[in-house]
Amino acid sequence: MKGTEPDEEQLVRRTAKGDRAAFEELYRRTSPWLAVRLRRRCADDQIVAEVMQETYLAVWRAAGAFAGSAVGGSAVGWLWTIAARRLVDAFRRRARHAQPLPVAETTVAPAAEEEALAGAVGDHVGDALRRLAPELRQVLQAMVLDGLTVRETAVLLGLPEGTVKTRARRARIAMREALS
């Protein structure tokens, strides 16, 4: 194909029409990033692999339902929403079977999405985000960046819902104070 390459949204739209090559290209572009992001939340490679498989199967089946930029969304954001929900489902399955699921350890190096968020919201807000306690930043990341509900965040982080609500409130207060 000459000219510009299709973006992820165009690839999803072509996938919705049954274009296997578009799906393969979407997978090639997004799977490394998605795997890294999932591994930051779950240390079990088997669970990450299952979530990846379930996510791309859902993308193949539901590509026609993708609303995209018409509703202010992006293909990558849509993909992450599917993956995050599949990861929460995996946590729930494990909880039902009473098997602890290893959660990825927090690394010293900032995540790409943390860097992007800090860069996107400006130096002052980025500095405030970096100064948040890690447990507050995790909740903020899950609820704001990943768009998860309180319940989904609680399952993802292995915390009671009340703790998630408290940490979200503390994070908002800390951000407000840091920005005033």
Side-chain angles (χ1 to χ4, degrees):
M1 157 191 297
K2 282 192 169 183
T4 62
E5 287 190 15
D7 64 16
E8 286 79 7
E9 183 168 340
Q10 292 167 329
L11 291 172
V12 171
R13 298 219 183 283
R14 286 176 38 199
T15 297
K17 296 175 184 170
D19 185 336
R20 186 171 289 278
F23 177 75
E24 290 171 0
E25 177 64 14
L26 180 68
Y27 179 85
R28 186 190 65 73
R29 287 187 195 179
T30 60
S31 64
W33 163 84
L34 185 61
V36 167
R37 198 159 182 196
L38 288 168
R39 282 189 196 106
R40 287 184 47 82
R41 287 158 179 80
C42 177
D44 186 325
D45 286 336
Q46 181 181 349
I47 295 294
V48 170
E50 288 172 15
V51 168
M52 292 281 293
Q53 183 176 9
E54 291 173 10
T55 298
Y56 285 99
L57 181 60
V59 167
W60 177 256
R61 289 179 175 164
F66 172 64
S69 59
V71 294
S74 72
V76 173
W78 179 68
L79 186 75
W80 172 245
T81 300
I82 293 169
R85 296 200 191 297
R86 295 297 185 276
L87 185 58
V88 168
D89 291 344
F91 280 142
R92 286 185 180 139
R93 283 191 302 270
R94 277 288 168 103
R96 276 196 302 272
H97 299 309
Q99 297 172 333
L101 190 65
V103 176
E105 294 296 318
T106 307
T107 58
V108 176
E113 64 263 21
E114 290 170 356
E115 289 294 318
L117 178 63
V121 295
D123 291 335
H124 194 58
V125 176
D127 289 342
L129 282 170
R130 283 187 286 278
R131 285 194 301 267
L132 275 180
E135 67 272 9
L136 301 182
R137 196 169 41 250
Q138 276 184 328
V139 168
L140 198 63
Q141 179 180 356
M143 293 179 73
V144 176
L145 286 179
D146 300 342
L148 300 179
T149 65
V150 169
R151 169 170 272 156
E152 292 166 336
T153 300
V155 171
L156 181 67
L157 299 177
L159 300 168
E161 286 183 43
T163 302
V164 170
K165 290 177 185 178
T166 299
R167 289 182 181 177
R169 182 176 172 276
R170 286 177 47 210
R172 283 193 302 271
I173 290 169
M175 290 296 291
R176 195 176 310 126
E177 288 174 358
L179 296 172
S180 62

